[in-house]
Amino acid sequence: MNASPCDAVLDAPALSKLRWRCRRGLLENDLFIEQFFARHESGLTVRQAEALGVLMDLSDNDLLDLLLGRKNPEGEQARDEVTQVLGMLRAARRPD
């Protein structure tokens, strides 16, 4: 059984582009994202990167509301892979 291309781990150039795309205007968002990459960058898949891209399409305030749990994902953000990545972002903020 072959793995889906979406389940492949990101290569270094794709990871670099993703990190650049995830830069935000609010420090609070950047702190979540920085911890997320510190914990997960070596195993991020193409599917997770695409889901993270959906979250990065949000405004800074809407993203922060999701990260802090003040809002629940709606619409495109409510897809399974996006909610999984959102959970990873939220968990990255907590100490081990």
Side-chain angles (χ1 to χ4, degrees):
M1 181 161 95
N2 292 335
S4 165
C6 290
D7 294 325
V9 174
L10 285 181
D11 60 17
L15 184 60
S16 179
K17 286 179 185 177
L18 181 63
R19 277 182 153 285
W20 180 258
R21 185 167 189 285
C22 289
R23 295 176 64 220
R24 305 303 295 198
L26 283 177
L27 174 63
E28 293 86 350
N29 287 337
D30 279 336
L31 294 175
F32 275 97
I33 293 165
E34 183 179 306
Q35 287 299 312
F36 171 82
F37 277 110
R39 285 191 177 188
H40 301 290
E41 76 178 350
S42 64
L44 279 178
T45 66
V46 171
R47 184 184 318 270
Q48 291 168 328
E50 289 170 355
L52 187 57
V54 169
L55 293 170
M56 293 304 111
D57 286 341
L58 295 170
S59 72
D60 281 337
N61 290 328
D62 288 340
L63 177 59
L64 186 60
D65 284 343
L66 285 176
L67 292 172
L68 294 176
R70 292 187 276 202
K71 285 185 177 179
N72 292 317
E74 297 177 349
E76 190 177 11
Q77 292 86 32
R79 293 187 344 229
D80 287 342
E81 58 272 13
V82 177
T83 56
Q84 177 200 24
V85 170
L86 178 59
M88 293 166 69
L89 280 158
R90 288 174 175 167
R93 166 175 165 243
R94 293 184 221 122
D96 286 331

